[in-house]
Amino acid sequence: MYEIIIIGAGPGGISMAAEARSYGVPSDKVLILEKAHEHSFSIKKYYPDNKLVTANFKGFTPQCTGVMCLIDSFKHETISYLDKAIKDYDLNVQYNETVSKIIKSETEQKFTIISDLKTYTSKTIAIAIGILGKPNKPNYKIIPTIKKRVVYDLTSTEIKNAHVLVVGGGDSASEYCQFLSDDKAQNKVSLSYRGNTILRMNDLNKDSLLTMTGTQKVKLMFDSNIKGLSDLEGKPKVHFAEEQYSDTVYDYIVYALGGTSPENFLKTVGITFDGQYPILKEDFETSVTGLFLLGDLSAGKKGGSIIWAFNSANTAMRKICSTYLDRV
């Protein structure tokens, strides 16, 4: 039986395993299960190469509390750091394996974890699934003839010399504008922002966006709401609800609307929710004893960051070691 099984090989999962090793848990008693073919798949898939991975994200101070820490870094630097952690802490990661069911024993502190390949048992579990892997989509219909012009993943489509509309209001929206408005790309970029004041960005991304707006690299459309799209010769025509914005044809629309948590899966495990958010204790333990949530799943309404993932892993591991593994 494992001492801890971690679901998800992103920053939260990797740091959780590193924390376990630092507390003396043997390598063969720690297991990470990852459904993708490589670790940190969402970062590799959804982050453009020159996108800065910011330590201070959505207001969280980048103060590290555990064995892993990272300053503002580019994508390749972040991945290299996580590669090194897997090697240095001798972490056991099983790729291409999807967990379908978790069953808590009624008589002892033990979980049975059923994947599409094997069945495991563990004293404790940490779920560190990110939310970027399932990006939010707009509530209006995207007609099939323009789907190739609608983008949720900037790494899947090279966009150059194009008229682009970014839709969103968080850090990713600013970062996408920065990436798309780069001089080499030669794009004309607009940002559709629903509010009238920038609220949900860290200072770095807010300042960058305002600078791009001031130099006319990005057109910032405050108080803009899209009511629907239509097809004009294979390109998306955007219909705004507000009279001050005329319907406009773009070459591409890039949605940066955040992601959704795997709520149904978490509920089947028995985790109690308050609305759309799981109820967590201060050490990120759920209502199921011995089962913890990390990273984005533990951050609540504000959303998480890599530093938040690292720190939540440290906090959770202290609780696991003192309460369930007798290692503190």
Side-chain angles (χ1 to χ4, degrees), residues 101-131:
K101 196 170 186 179
I102 299 173
I103 304 170
K104 174 71 187 295
S105 171
E106 296 182 359
T107 59
E108 58 181 315
Q109 183 55 46
K110 183 178 78 171
F111 293 91
T112 300
I113 299 93
I114 302 171
S115 78
D116 54 348
L117 299 179
K118 292 180 66 176
T119 297
Y120 307 89
T121 58
S122 179
K123 292 181 181 178
T124 61
I125 292 179
I127 300 178
I129 305 170
I131 63 174

Side-chain angles (χ1 to χ4, degrees), residues 48-167:
D49 288 337
N50 65 346
K51 176 178 175 179
L52 192 67
V53 181
T54 54
N56 183 9
F57 186 63
K58 296 186 178 178
F60 291 110
T61 302
Q63 181 177 355
C64 303
T65 60
V67 297
M68 292 185 66
C69 192
L70 193 67
I71 60 174
D72 292 352
S73 305
F74 289 104
K75 173 182 171 179
H76 72 277
E77 295 171 325
T78 303
I79 296 302
S80 294
Y81 180 74
L82 296 170
D83 285 335
K84 188 174 185 298
I86 292 174
K87 180 179 179 180
D88 290 350
Y89 289 99
D90 189 23
L91 304 185
N92 179 16
V93 188
Q94 294 287 105
Y95 296 106
N96 296 306
E97 190 162 357
T98 301
V99 174
S100 58
K101 196 170 186 179
I102 299 173
I103 304 170
K104 174 71 187 295
S105 171
E106 296 182 359
T107 59
E108 58 181 315
Q109 183 55 46
K110 183 178 78 171
F111 293 91
T112 300
I113 299 93
I114 302 171
S115 78
D116 54 348
L117 299 179
K118 292 180 66 176
T119 297
Y120 307 89
T121 58
S122 179
K123 292 181 181 178
T124 61
I125 292 179
I127 300 178
I129 305 170
I131 63 174
L132 281 178
K134 187 180 179 183
N136 287 328
K137 297 185 178 181
N139 55 14
Y140 44 83
K141 183 179 180 181
I142 308 296
I143 54 180
T145 54
I146 61 171
K147 279 189 175 181
K148 290 184 178 180
R149 299 280 182 166
V150 174
V151 178
Y152 303 93
D153 168 15
L154 268 186
T155 66
S156 66
T157 304
E158 185 177 29
I159 301 178
K160 290 184 176 181
N161 301 302
H163 189 191
V164 187
L165 178 67
V166 178
V167 182

Side-chain angles (χ1 to χ4, degrees), residues 137-143 146 150 152 165 167 192 225-230 238-240 253 255 257:
K137 297 185 178 181
N139 55 14
Y140 44 83
K141 183 179 180 181
I142 308 296
I143 54 180
I146 61 171
V150 174
Y152 303 93
L165 178 67
V167 182
S192 175
N225 293 271
I226 299 172
K227 60 182 181 180
L229 307 178
S230 60
V238 179
H239 304 280
F240 292 97
I253 300 177
Y255 287 101
L257 303 177

Side-chain angles (χ1 to χ4, degrees), residues 7-8 10 42 127-134 259-262 294-297:
I7 302 171
S42 290
I127 300 178
I129 305 170
I131 63 174
L132 281 178
K134 187 180 179 183
T260 56
S261 67
L294 305 175
D296 290 336
L297 297 180

Side-chain angles (χ1 to χ4, degrees), residues 183-199:
D183 290 338
K184 294 180 181 179
Q186 293 293 306
N187 292 310
K188 180 182 177 182
V189 182
S190 298
L191 173 62
S192 175
Y193 193 96
R194 294 181 63 181
N196 57 17
T197 304
I198 297 174
L199 296 175

